[in-house]
Amino acid sequence: MREDEDPADIAWKLIAVNLSDLAAKGAQPVGVLVSHMLGDDDDRFAQGLGEILEAYDVPLLGGDTVRADGRRVWGCTAIGKASSATVPDRRGAQAGDAIYVTGVLGRAMLGMEERGSGSTNDLAYRRPQPLLAEGQSLAPLVSAMMDVSDGLLLDSWRMAQASRTCFEIEAGSIPAADPERRDECMRWGDDYQLLFTVPEEVKIPIEAARIGTVCEGPAGVWLDGRLPAEDEVLGYRH
């Protein structure tokens, strides 16, 4: 997030992105540990923190507060417990599996351009909604799952690499917030949707879009039958 964001939104997003990691594991939250650097508008940070913890019924277990000069830094560790006998990760995709993604991609990208408007896109950027219930319902069924934080194409490439498979993705099947900017929506990130693979015959219990198929071959991503160039930007790299 930008440095000039409302501290209440910073607190919300700090917790939300960590809960999204739990969602990708199908985990139930146990609580969070928060590190907070004291400064201006601490009351706003506390307000946003309280709002998201209440919204998802997640306790604050502890953490640390410090005061220092210079740029402020926040940290969060979310603790969860498995909700099923199998805990999904990004390594299990198998040739023949269907590839799905939840939600609409690119809302956060548009939301950054609409900051402060209160629009659906604005809220998607400032206050993302971790998909905990969806992750828990999918956990027993998926072969691989992760959240989309750095762009659909880059995270698909990461899952394909981890699973040592080839992901064949159809751009036109990807739900984009702005179809005229579909390519940007696939690469911008900050969506916190769930990317997952399941065997072809599995009926999924949530609403999601099928965007491709897992295939045998060199690990990587093919987009509309094309292998991206080595220097092509697939998403956000830290």
Side-chain angles (χ1 to χ4, degrees):
M1 297 185 74
R2 294 163 48 119
E3 292 185 21
D4 60 348
E5 300 289 356
D6 181 348
D9 292 333
I10 292 174
W12 179 287
K13 197 163 188 176
L14 174 68
I15 305 302
V17 300
N18 282 275
L19 293 181
S20 183
D21 288 334
L22 295 185
K25 297 297 184 184
Q28 298 173 345
V30 172
V32 294
L33 301 168
V34 176
S35 296
H36 175 60
M37 183 175 287
L38 298 170
D40 296 334
D41 296 322
D42 287 331
D43 57 335
R44 289 292 297 157
F45 184 90
Q47 179 177 332
L49 180 62
E51 288 169 351
I52 187 168
L53 295 181
E54 180 179 1
Y56 288 92
D57 192 23
V58 177
L60 176 63
L61 301 178
D64 191 24
T65 56
V66 297
R67 183 178 295 278
D69 296 328
R71 180 174 294 181
R72 300 177 72 185
V73 178
W74 296 270
C76 173
T77 299
I79 301 171
K81 62 180 179 180
S83 65
S84 72
T86 56
V87 178
D89 61 28
R90 62 183 68 180
R91 297 173 295 179
Q94 301 290 321
D97 285 354
I99 306 170
Y100 286 89
V101 69
T102 61
V104 178
L105 303 178
R107 289 206 185 282
M109 177 189 77
L110 300 178
M112 189 171 182
E113 300 169 2
E114 302 170 14
R115 287 171 64 230
S117 68
S119 68
T120 299
N121 294 332
D122 172 45
L123 292 174
Y125 167 69
R126 293 189 295 109
R127 298 207 169 192
Q129 306 290 319
L131 302 179
L132 290 164
E134 291 84 348
Q136 291 168 30
S137 68
L138 288 168
L141 305 174
V142 300
S143 52
M145 184 161 65
M146 63 186 292
D147 70 335
V148 180
S149 57
D150 294 330
L152 176 66
L153 293 186
L154 179 56
D155 287 331
S156 295
W157 179 86
R158 288 169 172 162
M159 186 182 287
Q161 290 287 323
S163 298
R164 299 181 181 179
T165 54
C166 174
F167 278 29
E168 293 189 355
I169 293 176
E170 300 174 5
S173 65
I174 296 170
D178 184 349
E180 294 185 0
R181 300 173 64 183
R182 185 182 304 275
D183 192 68
E184 292 177 82
C185 291
M186 294 187 295
R187 302 170 194 262
W188 201 84
D190 223 18
D191 293 300
Y192 304 104
Q193 296 296 332
L194 294 176
L195 170 69
F196 60 95
T197 60
V198 294
E200 183 79 37
E201 68 277 9
V202 170
K203 182 176 178 60
I204 60 173
I206 66 167
E207 185 175 346
R210 179 169 180 174
I211 61 172
T213 303
V214 181
C215 301
E216 295 180 352
V221 170
W222 288 72
L223 182 63
D224 291 337
R226 179 181 68 87
L227 183 67
E230 289 187 7
D231 60 349
E232 188 170 340
V233 177
L234 299 180
Y236 177 76
R237 292 188 179 273
H238 298 269

